[in-house]
């Protein structure tokens, strides 16, 4: 009996030791579910999920298995875009309000409120500095700028003092910017910021590694500190070289993670030369050293299908005007340009664009343009029937659909996908859709 009484006496203490993450998402009704991940240096581990109520409210009950660390809330797809990080120190409840337009605000949690307050304060100060330099009045009192610098220095020091012993202190210290001791012109100020951008960033810091901070710092430097007097690709490459020096002591796994994020950004921006620069000079070696064969495969595939590369060759049994013949892409001749289009009889976008492409190809001489249409299919019957409607195409049956050798060699993950080749089968363009493809030929006429 005494044992039972003792356990019952402990129960309120155990329950009171539990914490929660709760808040609201707005506009209400726009989001249905929120997922909780614990962020590790190179991966995020799924923890749990909860429903977002009709009024936007949600709540996670955190038991003893939820330990101190960095966590990520994911609220929509794609997950890598629709998320935000929070600090959980294992000692306090977290309350927040998220708005899809304005972002997240914390109403409870000293850790998160402190970092939020620091970020907002420094944002206003840097805006003041920007406003000062944007004003081209050379007669302006330089004491105003020195006053802003003084405020910035005092704020940085006071927040670092207030954050001692907290997880937020890692971010506050790492985010410290260079502050001049005297008045400098705008060009000099920007150069000083760039030179000292990573002075307080420790790439071996486990807390920073378990957040978006290092990635965001890298992206802000590469894109935000680019030399405007240079061509964009060259300016980005220069900054990447400088960034490599700044993180030279980082663990290989962290380097690979950061470079992968940067490579993906360049791919999304269609900066192929910069993406391949990252791949060839840094990321491929890291993938090899860390035995990441899948990443290595993706990097090689992207390079092999970049503009200026020789189009991957393939052999096929081609159906053209009811005749079948075995040939290769490299053997085709007689046209100034070739269009490879990967399509499917079950793809609604294809059924809209392929007829337009066929009509357009009919308006040009064969010597000007030839279309090779690769039908990615699970079975040939519907595709075969449709091919008769497009007699101007060279039709190729892509058996296996998403597991087709030709489609795989071009990295095709969606239909329709277009490649424009020169007469010597080099990739010269990769239009997003038929209208972009058509414009390339019309503009060149």
């Amino acid at each position: 009996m005494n044992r039972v009484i003792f356990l019952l006496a402990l129960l309120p203490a155990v329950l009171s030791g539990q914490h929660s993450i709760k808040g609201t998402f707005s506009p209400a009704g726009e989001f249905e579910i929120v997922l909780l991940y614990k962020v590790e240096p190179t991966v995020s581990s799924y923890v749990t999920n909860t429903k977002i109520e009709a009024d936007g409210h949600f709540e996670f009950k955190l038991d003893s298995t939820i330990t101190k660390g960095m966590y990520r809330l994911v609220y929509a797809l794609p997950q890598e875009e629709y998320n935000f990080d929070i600090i959980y120190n294992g000692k306090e409840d977290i309350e927040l309000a998220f708005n899809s337009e304005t972002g997240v605000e914390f109403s409870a949690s000293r850790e998160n409120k402190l970092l939020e307050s620091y970020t907002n304060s420094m944002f206003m100060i840097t805006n003041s500095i920007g406003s000062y330099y944007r004003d081209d009045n050379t007669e302006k009192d330089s004491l105003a700028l020195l006053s802003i610098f003084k405020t910035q220095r005092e704020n940085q020091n006071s927040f670092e003092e207030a954050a001692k012993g907290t997880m937020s202190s890692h971010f506050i210290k790492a985010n410290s910017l260079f502050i001049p001791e005297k008045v400098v012109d705008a060009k000099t100020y920007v150069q000083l910021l760039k030179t000292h951008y990573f002075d307080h960033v420790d790439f071996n810091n486990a807390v920073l590694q378990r957040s978006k901070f290092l990635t965001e710092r890298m992206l802000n430097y590469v894109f935000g500190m680019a030399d405007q007097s240079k061509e964009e690709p060259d300016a980005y490459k220069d900054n990447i070289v400088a960034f490599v020096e700044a993180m030279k002591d980082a663990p290989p796994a962290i380097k690979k993670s950061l470079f992968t994020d940067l490579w993906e950004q360049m791919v999304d921006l269609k900066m192929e030369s910069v993406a391949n620069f990252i791949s060839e000079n840094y990321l491929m070696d890291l993938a090899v050293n860390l035995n990441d064969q899948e990443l290595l495969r993706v990097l090689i595939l992207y390079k092999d299908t970049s503009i200026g590369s020789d189009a991957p060759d393939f052999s096929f049994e081609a159906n053209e005007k009811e005749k079948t013949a075995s040939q290769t892409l490299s053997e085709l001749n007689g046209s100034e340009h070739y269009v490879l289009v990967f399509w499917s009889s079950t793809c609604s976008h294809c059924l809209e664009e392929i007829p337009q492409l066929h009509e357009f190809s009919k308006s040009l001489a064969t010597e000007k343009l030839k279309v090779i249409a690769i039908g990615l299919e699970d079975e040939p019957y519907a595709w075969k029937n449709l091919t008769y409607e497009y007699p101007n195409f060279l039709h190729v049956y892509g058996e296996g659909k998403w597991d087709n050798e030709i489609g795989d060699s071009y990295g095709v993950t969606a239909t329709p996908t277009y490649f424009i080749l020169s007469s010597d089968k080099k990739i010269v363009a990769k239009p997003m859709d038929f209208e972009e493809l058509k414009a390339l030929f019309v503009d060149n006429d």
Side-chain angles (χ1 to χ4, degrees):
M1 177 63 70
N2 289 338
R3 177 180 173 84
V4 171
I5 293 172
F6 175 73
L7 290 175
L8 288 174
L10 275 181
L11 187 58
V14 171
L15 291 176
S16 65
Q18 291 181 333
H19 295 289
S20 65
I21 303 172
K22 63 183 179 181
T24 56
F25 279 84
S26 60
E30 185 171 324
F31 308 102
E32 298 179 356
I33 190 170
V34 58
L35 289 74
L36 181 67
Y37 287 82
K38 186 169 187 181
V39 185
E40 302 298 342
T42 57
V43 295
S44 296
S45 303
Y46 172 78
V47 177
T48 187
N49 70 77
T50 191
K51 180 181 178 182
I52 299 174
E53 303 296 339
D55 63 357
H57 179 264
F58 77 95
E59 181 170 3
F60 289 107
K61 293 288 188 180
L62 307 180
D63 59 28
S64 60
T65 65
I66 310 299
T67 56
K68 174 182 177 180
M70 296 298 302
Y71 287 82
R72 183 164 296 158
L73 296 184
V74 175
Y75 54 90
L77 294 174
Q79 291 193 12
E80 58 271 17
E81 292 184 22
Y82 298 101
N83 64 73
F84 56 88
D85 287 357
I86 58 174
I87 299 171
Y88 177 59
N89 61 14
K91 301 176 182 178
E92 58 182 7
D93 294 332
I94 300 172
E95 292 185 31
L96 60 90
F98 176 83
N99 181 277
S100 58
E101 295 293 329
T102 59
V104 62
E105 291 185 11
F106 293 92
S107 55
S109 167
R110 179 174 180 270
E111 289 268 12
N112 290 284
K113 291 180 70 176
L114 188 59
L115 183 56
E116 179 181 69
S117 179
Y118 168 79
T119 303
N120 292 339
S121 177
M122 287 305 178
F123 178 77
M124 288 188 289
I125 290 172
T126 53
N127 271 353
S128 296
I129 295 171
S131 296
Y132 180 95
Y133 282 120
R134 280 192 295 272
D135 187 342
D136 202 26
N137 181 7
T138 56
E139 299 300 321
K140 179 182 286 187
D141 184 0
S142 61
L143 291 177
L145 183 58
L146 289 175
S147 177
I148 298 173
F149 287 154
K150 181 175 182 287
T151 301
Q152 185 181 21
R153 190 176 296 106
E154 290 173 347
N155 270 29
Q156 183 67 40
N157 291 337
S158 67
F159 273 105
E160 286 188 19
E161 183 65 28
K164 280 183 177 179
T166 70
M167 291 177 65
S168 62
S169 67
H170 299 274
F171 300 99
I172 291 171
K173 289 178 181 178
N175 200 58
S176 178
L177 295 176
F178 180 80
I179 306 172
E181 296 287 346
K182 61 181 182 180
V183 172
V184 293
D185 60 39
K187 184 177 180 180
T188 302
Y189 177 69
V190 170
Q191 186 56 52
L192 287 168
L193 281 184
K194 185 173 182 179
T195 300
H196 297 279
Y197 202 76
F198 296 102
D199 281 2
H200 302 281
V201 179
D202 179 4
F203 288 90
N204 289 286
N205 183 299
V207 176
L208 300 183
Q209 290 173 355
R210 289 173 166 86
S211 73
K212 297 179 182 178
F213 180 86
L214 295 178
T215 293
E216 291 175 349
R217 195 74 169 178
M218 169 189 67
L219 296 177
N220 287 339
Y221 180 80
V222 171
F223 293 105
M225 294 289 177
D227 188 339
Q228 301 297 313
S229 67
K230 295 184 177 181
E231 294 292 327
E232 268 189 337
D234 293 332
Y236 294 156
K237 289 175 186 178
D238 287 348
N239 283 1
I240 290 167
V241 171
F243 171 68
V244 170
E245 177 62 23
M247 70 154 184
K248 62 184 178 182
D249 296 326
I254 297 300
K255 289 181 180 179
K256 189 191 79 168
S257 178
L258 290 170
F259 274 130
T260 300
D261 289 343
L262 184 57
W263 180 83
E264 289 173 348
Q265 284 284 327
M266 295 302 176
V267 170
D268 289 344
L269 293 171
K270 298 187 182 300
M271 302 288 293
E272 287 188 342
S273 67
V274 184
N276 288 325
F277 173 82
I278 296 167
S279 173
E280 293 169 9
N281 289 281
Y282 311 108
L283 198 46
M284 279 188 181
D285 285 344
L286 288 165
V288 170
N289 293 336
L290 295 170
N291 196 29
D292 191 335
Q293 296 300 317
E294 176 57 23
L295 175 59
L296 187 61
R297 183 193 69 80
V298 169
L299 297 174
I300 293 172
L301 177 60
Y302 181 81
K303 182 178 183 299
D304 288 347
T305 55
S306 294
I307 293 173
S309 298
D310 292 327
D313 201 11
F314 55 88
S315 59
F316 54 93
E317 293 293 323
N319 295 300
E320 186 176 17
K321 297 180 180 179
E322 301 186 3
K323 293 181 181 180
T324 302
S326 179
Q327 52 191 311
T328 64
L329 174 67
S330 58
E331 291 172 342
L332 297 177
N333 56 58
S335 288
E336 293 180 17
H337 290 92
Y338 296 86
V339 170
L340 299 185
V341 55
F342 293 86
W343 69 295
S344 174
S345 61
T346 59
C347 161
S348 59
H349 289 299
C350 300
L351 298 180
E352 291 177 8
E353 294 193 16
I354 293 299
Q356 298 177 67
L357 177 62
H358 187 256
E359 288 302 309
F360 179 67
S361 69
K362 285 165 59 177
S363 70
L364 301 176
T366 304
E367 294 78 16
K368 181 77 171 177
L369 174 69
K370 185 64 180 176
V371 177
I372 303 98
I374 302 101
L376 300 179
E377 305 288 339
D378 288 319
E379 52 84 18
Y381 308 110
W383 166 80
K384 184 65 176 177
N385 289 334
L386 280 174
T387 62
Y388 296 120
E389 298 181 19
Y390 315 120
N392 215 46
F393 290 175
L394 180 62
H395 290 286
V396 179
Y397 177 52
E399 184 177 8
K401 198 164 184 174
W402 304 122
D403 193 25
N404 174 261
E405 186 175 349
I406 302 173
D408 290 346
S409 69
Y410 281 83
V412 176
T413 57
T415 53
T417 293
Y418 301 94
F419 291 85
I420 299 177
L421 314 181
S422 62
S423 59
D424 58 355
K425 315 306 184 302
K426 288 188 180 295
I427 299 172
V428 296
K430 297 189 289 186
M432 291 294 295
D433 53 29
F434 167 71
E435 290 300 325
E436 187 176 326
L437 180 150
K438 181 180 177 181
L440 289 170
F441 285 95
V442 172
D443 292 344
N444 289 329
D445 283 346

